[in-house]
Amino acid sequence: MDKKEFRVLIKYCFLKGKNTVEAKTWLDAEFPDTAPEKSTIRYWYAKLRRGEMRTEDGERSGRPKEVIGFVVSDENF
């Protein structure tokens, strides 16, 4: 599972009224090798308590990790 899918599951636990320990226990049982750490679950619960319900990554400033479709040629320099 990717990060976004785990975030959705954490949000599900939050909305069902589970606390962070219950959420961690459930995620560990369902995804023993890939479940997020306690600190990740606490971080997302704090965001959800503040009303931040989006599970997608937000926009970031700065240089992107990679450039897609960029061709190096003499014209670029």
Side-chain angles (χ1 to χ4, degrees), residues 12-61:
Y12 170 78
C13 290
F14 175 80
L15 294 174
K16 292 296 276 182
K18 295 181 184 287
N19 63 35
T20 57
V21 174
E22 293 168 329
K24 175 67 173 154
T25 302
W26 178 71
L27 289 168
D28 282 343
E30 296 296 322
F31 309 97
D33 298 330
T34 58
E37 297 295 324
K38 287 186 292 187
S39 59
T40 302
I41 295 169
R42 284 194 307 261
Y43 171 81
W44 281 97
Y45 262 61
K47 286 184 72 137
L48 294 165
R49 281 188 201 104
R50 290 190 304 264
E52 298 176 36
M53 294 293 176
R54 292 188 52 169
T55 55
E56 297 86 20
D57 286 328
E59 289 291 321
R60 292 182 165 191
S61 62

Side-chain angles (χ1 to χ4, degrees), residues 63-74:
R63 182 178 173 180
K65 287 184 178 182
E66 60 184 53
V67 178
I68 299 173
F70 183 75
V71 177
V72 177
S73 69
D74 290 338

Side-chain angles (χ1 to χ4, degrees), residues 1-17:
M1 285 193 117
D2 68 359
K3 292 186 311 182
K4 183 175 181 333
E5 291 169 322
F6 275 119
R7 292 173 188 168
V8 170
L9 292 175
I10 293 168
K11 182 178 177 180
Y12 170 78
C13 290
F14 175 80
L15 294 174
K16 292 296 276 182

